[in-house]
Amino acid sequence: MAVALLDEVRGVDLGDKRLNRRLGKVIEELGAKPNLSIPAATDARKEMEAAYRFFDNDKVSPEKILQPHIKATHERISQTDLVLLVQDTTELDLTRPNQQVAGAGPMDCEVRRGAFVHPLMAFDSEGVPLGTTWQKTWVREAIETTLSKAEKCRKRQQTPIEEKESLRWVEGLRAAREVAAACPHTVCVCVGDSEADIYELFSEPRSANQGEVQLLVRACQTRSTTESNWLEEARCTPCLYSRTVNVSSRKAKIAGGKSKREQSRDARLAEVEVRATTVTLRPPHRHDRKLPEVTMNVVLVEEPNPPTGCEPIQWILVTTLPIDDLEQVKTIVQSYCIRWQIEIYFKTLKTGCRVEERQFENLERLMNCLAVYSIIAWRVMYLCRLGRECPDLDCEVVFAPSEWRSVYTMVKHQPPPPQPPRLNDIIRLIASLGGYVIRKSTHPGPQTLWIGLQRVHDLSTAWETFGPG
């Protein structure tokens, strides 16, 4: 199960064989030192200039760069029984102190300029990232600053979804349908957080040519059903099981935020109860169309007795996955927990690969660069999870002999063994070069691994140049 970056762009068609080869060179150089600037990551001035020319070439586009990676992702998906296709949005803050990036749009105000990225990431049932299957980027042309809250609400209700940014969630489901068609023997589940609680998403057709994509969304509102509402219907069912969950601490980013998720909270243990039921949703009014009733399954994860002064933990998970037995309900809850892996991917992309700090004057060039770093960020996460889920793999499945041998010698201060060590052992050694303290009870994270990988490149180069043989 090789994961070389070069394999992820093999077969790319940019309309010029020289550009195809250049992409392979660029992704290997930037992937070896993901945290460094492009001038620092490239080997010489001519390589730096070639990288910038590549991103500025009219024949290069994010879609073409990602196409072979998407194909490779489909191959990995086909080898699994179940895949979670997680979609979410992150913003790229490209605000510059002097000259702004041409083509960037306003974010939440006119002062902050940037773009938005909405990928559809594939994860297996253990949380191992398999790659990107689709990605949408866009900028806002303008933001509304003159309307009142009531006027904004009225305008939003009168605007068809095709003209809203929320259409991205429906487009993500349509992209998931294509994955289901390409991988007919794999159960494909499209997962979204509370922003995806959109009726048009629930009513969107899910059938593919040779299969069907399932849906799993965390609700953010109490929707009406033919009986009452989905929260009350779920509460009326018996508790299927209870469990204790760790609630992480959270510090409010904005003082006095009204949303529950904007409030600060302390870390604690919470005892939650899990219930499940099937409901039929009443369609909301739309001025331009009539939406159908939709039957969905609802899994309620709720804390019945929160401590005084604490908001109760509550997940309303809306899904088309079956809830016929206890194991199926547990699988739904576990599947939604894996959704958080996409947040780690965003952190790896922005903090590890520093895509927001790349010095491009034009947004189109930056989007080409983003496509390359999207693959690099995925590989960093993949190595982390692969070492954890498949620790006994031969490390040469991932790393060249000069890479693992130089790392082993550097960290262990002894000659490398004649046989390649386990993958997990080498990943831990590499992460230790980035600050990870090796312990049996812990696993390295993406941050220490991406820092360590930068040193691997230098150590491997020195080993090949000056090492034994």
Side-chain angles (χ1 to χ4, degrees), residues 74-85 123-126 130 179-180 183-189 212 214 321 331 335:
H74 285 176
E75 294 175 357
R76 287 185 284 268
I77 290 173
S78 297
Q79 298 171 16
T80 66
D81 295 327
L82 182 143
V83 66
L84 303 172
L85 301 170
F123 298 88
D124 72 8
S125 58
E126 300 298 326
L130 304 179
V179 177
C183 310
H185 301 297
T186 302
V187 176
C188 298
V189 185
E212 185 178 55
Q214 303 298 329
L321 289 167
T331 297
S335 295

Side-chain angles (χ1 to χ4, degrees), residues 382-396:
Y382 185 76
L383 293 180
C384 281
R385 297 294 300 196
L386 195 65
R388 186 180 308 180
E389 304 299 333
C390 307
D392 296 326
L393 276 180
D394 186 323
C395 72
E396 286 195 358

